[in-house]
Amino acid sequence: MTARSLDGKACASSVEVALHNRIAALKEHGITPHLAVVIVGNDPASHVYVNSKIRTCERLGLTSTHIELPADALENDVRKHIENLNLRDDVHGILVQSPLPDHMDEEGLTELIHPTKDVDGFHPVNLGRLVQGRTDGLLPCTPHGVMNMLEWGGIELKGKRAIVLGRSRIVGMPAALLLAARGADATVTVAHSRTEDLAERCAEADVIVAAVGRPNMVKPDWVKPGAVVVDVGINRVDDPSRERGWRLVGDVDPAVREVAGWLSPVPGGVGPMTIAMLMSNTVRAAERTVDL
Ligand code: NDP
């Protein structure tokens, strides 16, 4: 068997098509959705992500504001920017790019963003709603993107066994909540670094969502034939054959393709969907200001 591709680029394009109409409707009300991104420091990967978000805003006709601060900026500087953006009626979404320098309290700064502008979906109010089973709010972009890809593939989750590898606040845990939520209705196991017999637990699953940050960890013999495998991982590994000396790989060994029924590629899988869901959250946040 060769797995079908859960093609994140194609799925993201279909999300963008649907967003076009909503953005046009907002513009008729005199509103252009506006995303503000705060980035601190020089982490090259973060700058690549932020540039990609800004380019997507431009493509869709959204306004973006890019606030760049040096690595030695004070936490208070970031606070002031967030407080200012919270007060601006013309700004609908605020995102503070992770990771922040070690001297900053990332969770504290996330909590400072007004929940209605929290387009990353990490504010305790938005995560709390998700825990209550309310999936109509601003959802964390990566797990929401995973759910959209599964829907795009026409993959039935009801009653199926799903395992999420990873329990982080931004990916693993919200992905598990969304898979178990009413409407999706999967039966979910959350695995982490202390999980025993991980390969056996995976082999029982109909759906595997891998979000561990370990290159190629999920092996073909961990996967039930025909299972759906979503690879969230983005890991940089050395590759002297490339001019830049590295390449990106996921958390899933590419040989899983020979066993799985569906597999999301890296790159070109969950990554583009994360950005598409960020755009969707920004449009949603703008719609709420005019009751659309
Ligand atoms: P974190 O480091 O916050 O969490 C990793 C999770 O994996 C933890 O729960 C950890 O367990 C678990 N874990 C680590 N090693 C193992 C192991 N050997 N066996 C089982 N579980 C393990 O990472 P994130 O959740 O932020 O990100 C995960 C991956 O997803 C990364 O590769 C990241 O780059 C990628 N990512 C991709 C995005 C995209 O758009 N495609 C967006 C965000 C992230 P424990 O809790 O016990 O430590």
Side-chain angles (χ1 to χ4, degrees):
M1 173 182 288
T2 301
R4 296 171 72 183
S5 175
L6 272 173
D7 183 340
K9 283 189 192 161
C11 185
S13 296
S14 69
V15 171
E16 286 191 12
V17 168
L19 284 179
H20 277 301
N21 292 338
R22 290 166 57 189
I23 294 164
L26 278 165
K27 289 192 176 173
E28 277 174 22
H29 283 77
I31 291 172
T32 301
H34 183 167
L35 173 67
V37 181
V38 181
I39 180 166
V40 188
N42 309 313
D43 178 46
S46 294
H47 281 270
V48 170
Y49 294 143
V50 165
N51 289 337
S52 176
K53 289 165 187 175
I54 287 170
R55 272 201 313 275
T56 311
C57 281
E58 282 168 6
R59 193 170 65 242
L60 288 173
L62 271 56
T63 305
S64 62
T65 293
H66 182 181
I67 297 170
E68 211 171 316
L69 301 173
D72 60 356
L74 299 174
E75 183 175 315
N76 210 29
D77 297 335
V78 183
R79 285 184 161 265
K80 281 184 188 150
H81 279 290
I82 294 173
E83 281 163 357
N84 177 37
L85 293 166
N86 275 340
L87 291 172
R88 281 177 56 178
D89 286 340
D90 68 317
V91 172
H92 306 103
I94 305 170
L95 178 157
V96 178
Q97 182 64 39
S98 179
L100 288 172
D102 289 344
H103 64 279
M104 293 191 186
D105 170 10
E106 195 161 325
E107 284 188 26
L109 289 167
T110 301
E111 286 187 35
L112 203 61
I113 297 172
H114 195 281
T116 58
K117 298 190 179 190
D118 165 43
V119 284
D120 255 341
F122 298 155
H123 192 284
V125 166
N126 289 319
L127 285 176
R129 285 198 176 136
L130 179 55
V131 172
Q132 290 176 323
R134 294 156 71 184
T135 51
D136 58 343
L138 295 174
L139 298 173
C141 300
T142 301
H144 194 196
V146 169
M147 297 305 289
N148 261 264
M149 285 171 89
L150 294 170
E151 197 182 332
W152 175 86
I155 293 158
E156 176 65 71
L157 295 169
K158 189 173 184 173
K160 297 284 195 264
R161 284 193 199 185
I163 186 166
V164 180
L165 311 185
R167 57 178 165 183
S168 73
R169 179 179 60 100
I170 63 168
V171 190
M173 205 49 97
L177 289 165
L178 285 169
L179 286 161
R182 282 187 195 284
D185 296 318
T187 302
V188 182
T189 299
V190 181
H192 43 75
S193 64
R194 306 297 160 93
T195 298
E196 292 180 358
D197 304 324
L198 186 58
E200 285 85 345
R201 297 289 80 74
C202 284
E204 293 163 355
D206 303 300
V207 178
I208 299 174
V209 176
V212 284
R214 301 269 180 261
N216 300 332
M217 188 179 89
V218 177
K219 300 297 178 196
D221 61 352
W222 295 28
V223 177
K224 183 159 94 175
V228 177
V229 182
V230 182
D231 191 352
V232 180
I234 300 180
N235 309 292
R236 204 183 262 213
V237 294
D238 292 341
D239 184 348
S241 73
R242 303 274 174 112
E243 199 180 321
R244 60 191 178 190
W246 55 269
R247 70 194 156 94
L248 292 180
V249 301
D251 290 343
V252 177
D253 188 325
V256 163
R257 194 185 300 120
E258 305 308 325
V259 185
W262 288 89
L263 175 63
S264 67
V266 176
V270 178
M273 282 308 292
T274 297
I275 296 184
M277 299 333 287
L278 175 68
M279 299 299 125
S280 172
N281 274 350
T282 305
V283 171
R284 184 80 200 99
E287 285 170 342
R288 283 181 168 169
T289 63
V290 279
D291 285 337
L292 274 178

